[in-house]
Amino acid sequence: MRDMTLDMPTPDCAIAPALLACEGLSFEAGGKRLIDNFTLAIHPGRRTLIMGPNGAGKSVLLRLMHGLITPTGGHVLWQGRPLDRAARHAQAMVFQRPVMLRRSVLANLKFALTVRGITGAARARQATEALDLARLGDMARRPARVLSGGEQQRLALARALVCQPRLLFLDEPTSSLDPASTRAIEDLINAAHARGVSIVMVTHDLGQARRMGDDVLFLQNGTLAEAGPLQDVLAAPKTAATRAWLEGRLYTAL
Ligand SMILES: Nc1ncnc2c1ncn2[C@@H]1O[C@H](COP(=O)(O)OP(=O)(O)OP(=O)(O)O)[C@@H](O)[C@H]1O
């Protein structure tokens, strides 16, 4: 087993504590090690991208970090402590395909707030503000499931952000969207980042990576092949796997 100990940079403060850390994180299923002994730290205020070939383990890593699945080895720490309900409530996740409740657009947002104990006038105000931010205000009463794919993804993002997470996980949030919808989603993510939300996003899109990324974790076949500031990795990838992926070649281990 390889020991992958890769710490993400802390550009503003070298001793800033990690927001989230993975220590010896592993996940096995179906007799296969899908995540193999990852040690890494996500620092506050950064936009960290997770990249790598299909099947490398990107979505599994995201789910482990968010506590949706339980590691079979190692652990995930939130500000130095085990992931618990409060930590989960300080995070939010948006999936590739949005999952909408069979309710109105507005009710989808209100439900997310209710789950976090926000009710009454505060709930109504925050839900309306989030809708306006996502430019969905005029669709508030429509059933969420009749919205277009791009509108549903904007709603999914608004629903994630309305709870004011400190860390937002995004799993290929624009992979099925056209350029205008992609831009709208990126604008929402960047606006959240400007308000202090840290971002961890899976993407295959190098253009999007250049627009959105500060740091990158590069995965290959369940291992953490490379990590660091995105610009450095793009300019001078250190591993053959990263180099091959960036050049659009299939990687074959020697
Ligand atoms: N619960 C599970 N049980 C068994 N295998 C799984 C499980 N979850 C994921 N896998 C397998 O783990 C591997 C990594 O899956 P994952 O979805 O993380 O890949 P990915 O890097 O996100 O790929 P893509 O870019 O295609 O979305 C795949 O081979 C997948 O089939």
Side-chain angles (χ1 to χ4, degrees):
M1 191 194 312
R2 297 163 71 191
D3 179 17
M4 285 295 184
T5 303
L6 295 165
D7 195 28
M8 301 301 287
T10 52
D12 299 320
C13 174
I15 53 164
L19 192 57
L20 183 143
C22 301
E23 293 186 347
L25 191 70
S26 295
F27 183 74
E28 289 179 22
K32 214 179 143 203
R33 187 164 273 222
L34 305 175
I35 293 293
D36 187 10
N37 195 23
F38 282 24
T39 293
L40 59 93
I42 303 290
H43 291 285
R46 303 293 284 174
R47 296 170 301 175
T48 304
L49 305 181
I50 303 178
M51 304 187 84
N54 291 133
K58 302 179 297 295
S59 296
V60 171
L61 176 61
L62 215 58
R63 284 162 196 267
L64 284 166
M65 284 177 166
H66 191 35
L68 294 179
I69 51 177
T70 307
T72 52
H75 41 260
V76 177
L77 297 175
W78 174 256
Q79 297 184 295
R81 299 164 59 108
L83 270 184
D84 58 11
R85 190 180 159 84
R88 292 279 316 281
H89 278 186
Q91 308 171 357
M93 184 155 170
V94 171
F95 298 90
Q96 189 173 356
R97 287 187 197 81
V99 182
M100 295 292 128
L101 298 176
R102 273 183 207 282
R103 302 181 187 191
S104 72
V105 167
L106 184 62
N108 265 268
L109 284 174
K110 285 185 169 174
F111 179 78
L113 288 162
T114 304
V115 167
R116 281 163 172 78
I118 300 164
T119 55
R123 185 181 70 164
R125 180 179 46 76
Q126 288 180 36
T128 305
E129 281 173 9
L131 275 189
D132 290 344
L133 213 59
R135 293 186 292 106
L136 291 167
D138 55 349
M139 299 178 194
R141 307 274 161 214
R142 272 195 220 166
R145 293 191 181 193
V146 307
L147 300 188
S148 75
E151 290 161 350
Q152 285 197 19
Q153 195 59 305
R154 288 214 306 281
L155 176 55
L157 196 48
R159 194 175 54 187
L161 291 171
V162 77
C163 298
Q164 303 182 340
R166 294 195 56 201
L167 178 60
L168 176 64
F169 292 107
L170 300 149
D171 195 352
E172 298 188 54
T174 61
S175 61
S176 57
L177 303 185
D178 72 14
S181 295
T182 296
R183 179 63 191 265
I185 293 289
E186 289 181 1
D187 286 350
L188 279 172
I189 296 168
N190 280 334
H193 176 248
R195 293 195 300 275
V197 180
S198 304
I199 308 291
V200 177
M201 176 167 76
V202 175
T203 181
H204 285 288
D205 180 340
L206 265 177
Q208 181 168 68
R210 289 194 172 91
R211 291 190 295 276
M212 307 280 296
D214 298 314
D215 303 315
V216 64
L217 303 170
F218 188 86
L219 272 58
Q220 168 71 33
N221 199 21
T223 65
L224 183 53
E226 190 156 352
L230 177 76
Q231 294 309 328
D232 294 356
V233 172
L234 292 183
K238 289 193 178 75
T239 66
T242 316
R243 218 164 21 249
W245 189 83
L246 289 172
E247 290 169 1
R249 290 186 285 112
L250 280 178
Y251 171 70
T252 318
L254 292 173

